[in-house]
Amino acid sequence: MNTVSNNPCPRCGKQRIFVKTWREKIGYSVVTTTETACPDKECQKMVVKGNKNQKDKYDAAQLRRKQGFGHHKKS
């Protein structure tokens, strides 16, 4: 069965291309992961930078939650 993927770049809208596909065993499951990228290399660099910024914000928020941010001791 052939499948047609509609996976536009979130930044420019061009159809993304397949970079690589790999399988890995996680627990009792085998997970197939496919990496895609924008065909415009400069646009892809901007997407990667934006994704990194989002991940950094998420990680910082997770760290603040773990540290109990917002639960200050009163003097």
Side-chain angles (χ1 to χ4, degrees):
M1 169 173 29
N2 292 337
T3 57
V4 177
S5 175
N6 183 17
N7 188 2
C9 172
R11 188 168 179 271
C12 71
K14 292 179 185 174
Q15 186 61 35
R16 294 169 65 88
I17 56 174
F18 293 100
V19 176
K20 66 180 176 179
T21 300
W22 66 95
R23 291 176 178 238
E24 55 188 313
K25 186 171 171 85
I26 300 176
Y28 295 105
S29 301
V30 176
V31 177
T32 303
T33 304
T34 302
E35 182 180 337
T36 60
C38 181
D40 180 337
K41 290 183 181 186
E42 290 304 312
C43 181
Q44 182 62 32
K45 286 180 186 177
M46 297 299 290
V47 170
V48 168
K49 184 178 178 181
N51 289 346
K52 182 185 179 316
N53 288 343
Q54 285 294 97
K55 183 176 182 331
D56 290 347
K57 286 180 185 177
Y58 175 81
D59 290 346
Q62 288 290 94
L63 183 61
R64 283 193 303 271
R65 277 193 284 280
K66 283 184 179 179
Q67 292 175 343
F69 179 74
H71 295 84
H72 299 288
K73 292 181 183 177
K74 293 187 180 182
S75 304

